[in-house]
């Protein structure tokens, strides 16, 4: 090259030769680093060497492919730039500074390959640079500013290396703007590799913990795995809140990717269980608040048991909590049980261990029965070992089991969770012996007769502790009681007869109108337990109290009681009762209708659930016939009849769907007394309508002409303003809308027909919709546009393939779906049909 001396050419040749040899193998790098350092020390000046070095390196910045030989050169150059020779420290520092400035210029180039290589080498230098490197603060500021700018580069790989370069500075409190930048761009980043690099670069702090936990639901498997890796390496168990701990485990152990779930299991085992809890699973459960997050505790124990991380042969058992001492037993001195109370975590631990052993024993037994020879013997031995271990852990006798549960129940509300966990052990005990069955039957009677807990408010009114519906005040307790009762009374009809006897006894004061509120609630709670677990009224026929008498003497009066908790549980029981009837009775449907329109919020919610369930189970026209409205919907019905919900006579003389549609249209339901702030009448009816649309083939009595109106209403609710009582409905509808248009062409036809009604109901200033301030109108228009795009996306969704192909008479394969007698889907089922509807509507509006 012109202007270059022979010495320059020789220097460049030496450098090029070393770099060429360095790209062949990593094994040569240490030797070549020494050779290149020697060349630098022998050069006339550091700047002279850098000039030759940078010229030789320029072709690297034009080579885009990331092949192995090129990556070896990048690594070699990065290591050399950070290597500090003690004998020539000043020369090394000067070379590093010049090289960084050279790279910063390349990082600002218009050429994307030059920016990529510059950011790659800068990141490698920073990650490998020793702490004693001498670089001026001004130069570091330039590097940081340049890399922060490249974090927003349009090329993903450049953003990746820019983030990696900044990661070493993110821990520095003086560079908080780097962390702020990471937190700003992470939720907006589209590239999974960049998101992964940002997550790996985040320092541990209160500000980043929630962000990293949020990444455990990222769409990319690599990002989710990186999030669990960072949580394991940078966040000790104690530094995380209970809520974050449970979210981490719930998401990780249930992740669809085996690699991610294994990473979460590694985090839980190595960092939490072994380091923080000394390998004790029960100690780990104490960090998870299993009383609040029981399902997470179940998942944790299940994962640990499957991974073989629970030592079941250390001699521990439930029997160690049961002993006997001398004391008064009745009127004489004898041995009485002495129970050591369990904490909630310990009770859940033993319940999950016993369930695991029982499941494994059954599985191995089934495997032994399905095989032969040595393999069968091995499976049988494993099943026997599990059964022996289960027998050693469980209470020795049924009496010991009952004493253990009773002691925890008597210990008060602080041990209620432990009581329920221990109660579930009853499903693993043997009640075939008549004596055991008699003792357990007496205990079941005690549980069924145990009244609900309550307290008085400042005005002296009774406030039920719990949900006020299920026996014991919560569904889990009621399920555990019914599970034990069905295990003890396993003969067909025995369970129903036993519970019905308790109902009759508890309901006697109610029938005589002498019962107080708690007696009403208790009797209805046990009745609900019976109705929920009974398969039909067959077992109740011929008993001392017939189903019809139960309805008239307990359920209907309860629904009319002045106390709304009594009304609520009675209405729920009416719904369960109606599901067991062959056809819904007039009295039942009439009372549910009246409770729906006249009851307090919680009662209206319960009544709407009951009406929806009856309609789905018996079909809406059967519910209408119960009130004497023996008429069907005309096939061409295109609108619902307006209903005045304050007019009782009118309410009792309309069809069920008209009544429910009037209910979902009403916006002024009083939710002040609702038992669940996330439930409302509109949400319950909306879920019911979604089920009707999804399973429309099962309800031929509902004309297809009404489906677009129901769908338009659901779309309107889905895009409504943020309301807490509609959040659960919106979650339900998000799944519904994902599948509904893909199930059949008929659904797309319905969607096409629903488009215009949905837009009319949402666009401000038309169809009776209110206008308002400019900002409000603008937001309403944006919401309508968003809904229109959403509906168009649903129209474009592909139809699901049928699991069983349609075959014609000649044995040919898949046939097109038949609609209106035609093999081909009509035009109105697609985007063309929707375009025609929009055009017709626009023409109408122009003429109007």
């Amino acid at each position: 090259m012109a202007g270059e001396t022979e010495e320059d050419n020789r220097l460049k040749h030496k450098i090029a030769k070393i770099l060429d040899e360095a790209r062949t193998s990593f094994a040569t790098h240490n030797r070549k680093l020494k050779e290149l350092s020697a060349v630098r020390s022998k050069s006339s000046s550091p700047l002279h060497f850098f000039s030759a070095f940078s010229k030789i390196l320029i072709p690297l910045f034009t080579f885009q492919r990331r092949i192995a030989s090129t990556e070896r050169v990048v690594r070699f150059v990065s290591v050399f730039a950070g290597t500090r020779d003690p004998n020539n420290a000043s020369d090394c520092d000067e070379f590093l500074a010049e090289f960084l400035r050279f790279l910063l210029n390349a990082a600002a180039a218009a050429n994307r390959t030059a920016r990529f290589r510059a950011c790659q080498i800068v990141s490698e230098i920073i990650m490998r640079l020793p702490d004693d490197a001498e670089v001026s603060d001004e130069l570091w500021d330039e590097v940081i500013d340049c890399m922060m700018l490249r974090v927003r580069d349009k090329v993903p790989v450049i953003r990746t290396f820019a983030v990696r370069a900044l990661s070493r500075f993110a821990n520095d409190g003086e560079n908080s703007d780097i962390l702020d930048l990471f937190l700003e761009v992470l939720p907006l980043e589209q590239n999974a590799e960049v998101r992964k690099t940002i997550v790996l670069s985040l320092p541990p702090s209160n500000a980043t913990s929630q962000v990293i936990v949020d990444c455990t639901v990222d769409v990319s498997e690599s990002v989710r795995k990186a999030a669990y890796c960072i949580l394991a390496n940078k966040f000790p168990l104690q530094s995380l809140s209970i809520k974050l701990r449970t979210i981490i485990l719930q998401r990780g152990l249930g992740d669809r990717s085996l690699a991610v779930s294994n990473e979460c299991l590694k985090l839980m085992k190595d960092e939490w269980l072994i380091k923080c809890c000394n390998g004790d699973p029960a100690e780990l459960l104490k960090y998870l608040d299993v009383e609040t997050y029981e399902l997470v505790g179940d998942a944790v124990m299940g994962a640990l048991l499957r991974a073989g991380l629970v030592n079941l042969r250390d001699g521990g058992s439930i029997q160690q909590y049961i002993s006997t001492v001398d004391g008064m037993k009745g009127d004489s001195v004898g041995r009485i049980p002495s129970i050591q109370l369990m904490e909630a975590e310990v009770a859940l631990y033993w319940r999950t261990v016993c369930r695991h052993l029982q499941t494994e024993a059954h599985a191995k037994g089934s495997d032994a029965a399905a095989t032969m020879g040595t393999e069968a013997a091995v499976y049988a031995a494993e099943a026997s070992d599990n059964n022996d271990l289960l027998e050693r852990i469980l209470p020795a006798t049924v009496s010991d089991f009952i004493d253990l549960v009773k002691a925890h129940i008597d210990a008060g509300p602080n041990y209620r969770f432990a009581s329920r966990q221990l109660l579930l052990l009853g499903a693993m005990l043997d009640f075939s012996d008549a004596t055991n069955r008699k003792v357990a039957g007496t205990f079941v009677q005690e549980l069924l007769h145990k009244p609900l807990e309550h307290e008085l408010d400042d005005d002296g009114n009774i406030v039920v502790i719990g949900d006020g519906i299920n026996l014991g005040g919560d569904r889990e307790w009621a399920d555990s009681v019914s599970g034990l009762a069905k295990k003890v009374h396993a003969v067909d009809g025995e369970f129903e007869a036993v519970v019905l006897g308790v109902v009759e006894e508890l309901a006697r004061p109610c029938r005589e109108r002498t019962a107080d509120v708690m007696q009403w609630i208790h009797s209805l709670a046990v009745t609900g337990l019976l109705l929920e677990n009974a398969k039909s009224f067959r077992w109740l026929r011929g008993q001392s109290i017939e189903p019809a008498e139960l309805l008239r003497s307990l359920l209907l009066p309860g629904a009319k009681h002045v106390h709304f908790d009594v009304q609520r549980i009675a209405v729920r029981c009416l719904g369960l009762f109606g599901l067991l009837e062959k056809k819904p009775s007039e009295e039942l449907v009439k009372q549910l209708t009246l409770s729906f329109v006249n009851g307090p919020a919680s009662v209206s919610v319960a009544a709407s659930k009951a009406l929806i369930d009856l309609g789905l189970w018996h079909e809406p026209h059967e519910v209408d016939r119960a009130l004497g409205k023996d008429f069907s919907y005309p096939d061409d019905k295109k609108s619902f009849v307006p209903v005045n919900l304050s007019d009782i006579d009118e309410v009792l003389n309309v069809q069920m769907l008209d009544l429910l549609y009037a209910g979902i249209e009403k916006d002024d339901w009083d939710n002040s007394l609702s038992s669940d702030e996330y439930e409302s009448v509109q949400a319950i009816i909306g879920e019911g309508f979604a089920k009707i649309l999804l399973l429309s083939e099962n309800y031929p009595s509902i004309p297809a002409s009404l489906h677009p109106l129901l769908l338009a209403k659901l779309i309107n609710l889905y895009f409504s303003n943020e309301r807490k009582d509609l959040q659960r409905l919106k979650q339900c509808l998000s799944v519904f809308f994902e599948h509904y248009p893909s199930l059949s062409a008929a659904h797309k036809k319905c969607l096409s027909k629903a488009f215009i009604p949905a837009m009319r109901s949402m666009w401000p200033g038309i169809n009776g919709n209110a206008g308002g301030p400019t900002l409000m109108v603008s937001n309403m228009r944006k919401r309508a546009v968003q809904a229109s795009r959403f509906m168009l996306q649903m129209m474009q969704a592909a139809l699901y393939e049928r699991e069983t192909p349609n075959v014609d008479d000649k044995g040919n394969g898949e046939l097109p779906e038949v609609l209106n007698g035609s093999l081909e889907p009509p035009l109105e089922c697609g985007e063309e049909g929707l375009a025609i509807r929009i055009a017709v509507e626009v023409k109408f509006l122009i003429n109007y």
Side-chain angles (χ1 to χ4, degrees):
M1 185 178 295
E4 291 188 350
T5 65
E6 185 66 24
E7 181 184 356
D8 294 335
N9 290 331
R10 284 198 302 270
L11 180 59
K12 288 167 59 178
H13 178 73
K14 291 180 182 178
I15 296 174
K17 182 180 179 181
I18 293 173
L19 292 179
D20 188 58
E21 293 173 350
R23 70 186 179 92
T24 59
S25 172
F26 285 121
T28 65
H29 280 197
N30 287 337
R31 178 164 49 87
K32 295 303 173 184
L33 283 172
K34 294 178 181 179
E35 292 181 11
L36 191 57
S37 296
V39 172
R40 179 174 59 185
S41 62
K42 293 178 182 178
S43 63
S44 59
S45 69
L47 292 179
H48 182 216
F49 173 81
F50 173 74
S51 176
F53 181 84
S54 59
K55 290 176 182 177
I56 292 298
L57 210 60
I58 283 177
L60 180 64
F61 290 82
T62 61
F63 193 79
Q64 186 174 2
R65 293 178 57 196
R66 299 187 64 183
I67 59 178
S69 58
T70 307
E71 297 304 307
R72 292 190 195 104
V73 173
V74 169
R75 181 174 174 180
F76 177 79
V77 169
S78 303
V79 173
F80 175 72
T83 301
R84 199 161 188 260
D85 185 357
N87 299 323
N88 297 285
S90 60
D91 291 348
C92 295
D93 294 339
E94 187 175 354
F95 171 80
L96 175 60
E98 290 299 326
F99 191 37
L100 285 175
R101 292 190 181 95
F102 169 79
L103 294 173
L104 294 183
N105 289 330
N111 184 280
R112 59 189 296 175
T113 305
R115 298 199 309 275
F116 153 56
R117 289 300 180 188
C119 291
Q120 182 186 22
I121 297 174
V122 168
S123 70
E124 288 290 338
I125 291 174
I126 292 176
M127 298 303 293
R128 299 175 184 279
L129 199 63
D131 294 333
D132 61 349
E134 293 291 338
V135 180
S136 66
D137 293 341
E138 293 77 9
L139 181 55
W140 277 139
D141 290 341
E142 293 179 26
V143 171
I144 291 173
D145 291 342
C146 179
M147 292 299 103
M148 290 180 68
L149 184 63
R150 295 278 67 84
V151 168
R152 302 182 186 274
D153 197 283
K154 62 182 179 181
V155 181
V157 69
I158 297 176
R159 298 199 297 271
T160 300
F161 283 116
V163 170
R164 187 167 179 259
L166 292 172
S167 62
R168 189 166 178 179
F169 302 101
N171 286 309
D172 191 350
E174 297 180 358
N175 295 311
S176 59
D177 51 341
I178 297 177
L179 178 58
D180 294 339
L181 176 64
F182 286 171
L183 297 178
E184 177 187 349
V185 301
L186 178 59
L188 305 176
E189 178 57 57
Q190 299 296 313
N191 184 272
E193 189 63 27
V194 181
R195 293 200 304 276
K196 173 186 172 182
T197 307
I198 294 175
V199 170
L200 293 173
S201 303
L202 292 175
S205 68
N206 293 332
T208 59
S209 60
Q210 182 63 60
V211 174
I212 296 174
V213 171
D214 290 343
C215 290
T216 57
V217 289
D218 194 279
V219 295
S220 169
E221 174 186 318
S222 63
V223 177
R224 299 198 302 276
K225 187 176 178 181
Y228 286 105
C229 179
I230 287 299
L231 289 169
N233 295 330
K234 296 184 179 181
F235 291 87
L237 174 61
Q238 294 86 346
S239 68
L240 299 168
S241 67
I242 293 176
K243 184 176 181 180
L244 289 182
R245 297 170 198 161
T246 54
I247 289 175
I248 290 168
L249 295 177
Q250 183 179 30
R251 292 174 179 174
L253 297 177
D255 197 281
R256 61 186 178 272
S257 166
L258 182 61
V260 177
S261 60
N262 285 340
E263 192 69 32
C264 179
L265 180 62
K266 180 182 177 183
L267 154 72
M268 180 175 68
K269 179 188 71 172
D270 297 341
E271 302 299 326
W272 292 7
L273 178 63
I274 296 177
K275 286 187 179 180
C276 299
C277 303
N278 297 319
D280 184 359
E283 187 68 22
L284 174 60
L285 293 177
K286 292 181 180 180
Y287 285 98
L288 303 178
D289 187 13
V290 294
E291 294 187 65
T292 305
Y293 303 100
E294 181 179 355
L295 294 179
V296 177
D298 280 348
V300 167
M301 285 302 302
L304 294 177
L305 287 164
R306 288 191 297 272
L309 298 173
V310 181
N311 184 9
L312 301 178
R313 303 184 184 278
D314 59 353
S317 75
I318 298 176
Q319 296 181 17
Q320 69 192 43
Y321 295 88
I322 307 170
S323 59
T324 57
V325 296
D326 293 329
M328 295 298 297
K329 190 175 183 180
D331 296 332
S332 59
V333 177
R335 304 291 291 178
I336 60 174
S338 175
I339 304 298
Q340 178 185 348
L341 298 178
M342 295 184 191
E343 296 297 329
E345 300 80 18
V346 177
L348 183 138
Y349 170 84
W350 286 119
R351 193 259 297 169
T352 52
V353 164
C354 292
R355 183 184 61 186
H356 172 77
L357 290 173
Q358 185 186 46
T359 302
E360 284 294 302
H362 287 172
K364 297 300 181 183
S366 299
D367 292 341
T371 54
M372 299 178 63
T374 305
E375 186 179 5
V378 171
Y379 285 138
E382 291 179 356
S384 178
D385 289 343
N386 284 321
N387 280 323
D388 292 344
L389 190 54
L390 179 62
E391 184 177 355
R392 180 181 65 78
I393 292 176
L394 286 172
T397 64
V398 171
S399 296
D400 286 346
F401 161 72
I402 293 173
D403 291 336
L404 180 67
V405 177
K406 278 185 176 180
H408 285 80
I409 293 176
D410 295 340
N414 290 339
Y415 288 88
R416 180 178 179 81
F417 180 86
S419 303
R420 179 165 61 81
Q421 299 299 311
L422 296 173
L423 197 59
L424 292 169
L425 296 176
M428 307 172 198
L429 298 176
D430 181 13
F431 297 101
S432 57
D433 181 75
T435 302
N436 287 340
R437 194 163 58 251
K438 181 179 179 180
V439 173
T442 302
F443 179 53
V444 168
Q445 289 281 340
E446 293 178 15
L447 293 174
L448 293 174
H449 281 85
K450 184 176 175 59
L452 278 73
E453 298 179 5
H454 67 282
E455 56 188 21
L456 300 178
D457 61 15
D458 295 337
D459 298 326
N461 299 315
I462 292 177
V463 178
V464 180
I465 298 176
D467 60 15
I469 289 182
N470 292 285
L471 179 69
D474 64 80
R475 185 174 185 83
E476 290 79 11
W477 180 265
D479 288 344
S480 62
V481 172
S482 63
L484 177 63
K486 286 187 283 189
K487 176 74 173 181
V488 174
H489 303 289
V491 180
D492 284 348
E494 185 179 349
F495 165 77
E496 289 84 352
V498 168
V499 181
L500 184 61
V502 177
V503 170
E504 183 179 10
E505 180 182 346
L506 295 174
R508 190 175 297 115
C510 301
R511 295 199 301 270
E512 296 171 355
R513 303 298 185 266
T514 60
D516 58 23
V517 170
M518 292 310 302
Q519 288 176 310
W520 271 103
I521 292 178
H522 188 191
S523 61
L524 289 169
V526 178
T527 304
L529 185 74
L530 171 65
L531 296 175
E532 202 167 25
N533 290 277
K535 297 180 180 179
S536 70
F537 282 141
R538 182 167 62 92
W539 301 112
L540 303 182
R541 308 291 182 188
Q543 298 291 337
S544 55
I545 179 172
E546 291 285 336
E549 183 183 354
L550 182 67
L551 174 65
R552 295 189 181 95
S553 64
L554 181 63
L555 302 187
L556 291 175
K560 301 173 184 176
H561 198 278
V562 295
H563 198 281
F564 72 89
D565 273 334
V566 178
Q567 293 180 43
R568 179 160 55 97
I569 187 173
V571 167
R572 173 179 177 268
C573 290
L574 284 174
L576 295 171
F577 190 95
L579 296 178
L580 294 175
E581 290 184 304
K582 290 184 178 179
K583 292 184 178 180
S585 61
E586 177 182 359
E587 294 172 300
L588 183 144
V589 175
K590 182 178 180 180
Q591 183 56 55
L592 287 178
T593 303
L594 294 175
S595 297
F596 173 66
V597 297
N598 291 335
S602 58
V603 176
S604 295
V605 167
S608 62
K609 287 181 180 178
L611 287 172
I612 288 290
D613 289 343
L614 289 181
L616 293 173
W617 184 255
H618 294 292
E619 286 210 37
H621 70 277
E622 289 292 345
V623 180
D624 293 334
R625 287 175 182 173
L627 293 179
K629 297 170 288 193
D630 193 9
F631 51 84
S632 60
Y633 292 99
D635 292 336
D636 59 347
K637 180 173 181 177
K638 296 182 178 179
S639 63
F640 290 97
V641 176
V643 180
N644 182 7
L645 295 179
S646 61
D647 188 337
I648 300 302
D649 293 334
E650 182 178 347
V651 165
L652 294 175
N653 286 282
V654 296
Q655 292 171 295
M656 189 191 84
L657 281 182
D658 290 327
L659 176 66
L660 293 176
Y661 194 82
I664 203 172
E665 285 274 85
K666 181 181 178 183
D667 292 324
D668 57 346
W669 290 99
D670 178 19
N671 294 321
S672 58
L673 295 177
S674 178
S675 60
D676 189 336
E677 62 180 353
Y678 294 101
E679 279 191 338
S680 67
V681 172
Q682 287 180 307
I684 298 301
I685 299 176
E687 288 188 32
F689 284 167
K691 293 175 183 177
I692 290 174
L693 290 173
L694 203 62
L695 306 172
S696 55
E697 295 178 355
N698 297 342
Y699 305 103
S701 63
I702 303 176
S705 57
L706 292 179
H707 292 176
L709 296 180
L710 298 179
L711 185 58
K713 187 61 184 177
L714 294 182
I715 291 171
N716 197 324
L717 289 175
Y718 186 65
F719 285 93
S720 63
N721 295 328
E722 293 296 328
R723 282 174 50 185
K724 186 177 290 186
D725 60 321
L726 292 181
Q727 290 305 308
R728 184 176 296 172
L729 172 64
K730 291 183 178 182
Q731 292 177 3
C732 166
L733 292 180
S734 66
V735 179
F736 166 77
F737 288 134
E738 181 181 354
H739 297 285
Y740 177 76
S742 299
L743 288 174
S744 90
H747 289 178
K748 291 201 171 188
K749 178 181 178 180
C750 175
L751 183 60
S752 177
K753 290 183 176 181
F755 186 90
I756 298 301
M759 290 299 98
R760 287 175 178 172
S761 67
M762 300 176 70
W763 198 265
I766 65 170
N767 202 40
N769 297 332
T774 304
L775 180 60
M776 180 185 298
V777 170
S778 175
N779 290 335
M780 293 175 68
R781 288 176 178 171
K782 288 178 181 178
R783 185 167 64 94
V785 171
Q786 185 181 8
S788 68
R789 290 174 177 168
F790 181 73
M791 296 178 72
L792 180 59
Q793 289 175 355
M794 287 197 287
M795 289 292 297
Q796 295 170 340
L799 291 173
Y800 292 148
E801 294 183 4
R802 293 180 180 273
E803 294 183 3
T804 304
N806 292 331
V807 180
D808 62 13
D809 296 336
K810 298 180 180 180
N812 295 324
E814 181 76 22
L815 293 176
E817 187 174 351
V818 177
L819 287 175
N820 299 327
S822 173
L823 288 178
E824 293 296 334
L827 185 68
E828 59 186 351
C829 295
E831 297 175 56
E832 298 85 355
L834 177 59
I836 293 173
R837 294 182 190 278
I838 295 174
V840 171
E841 179 70 9
V842 170
K843 182 178 180 182
F844 169 78
L845 291 176
I846 292 175
N847 293 336
Y848 181 79

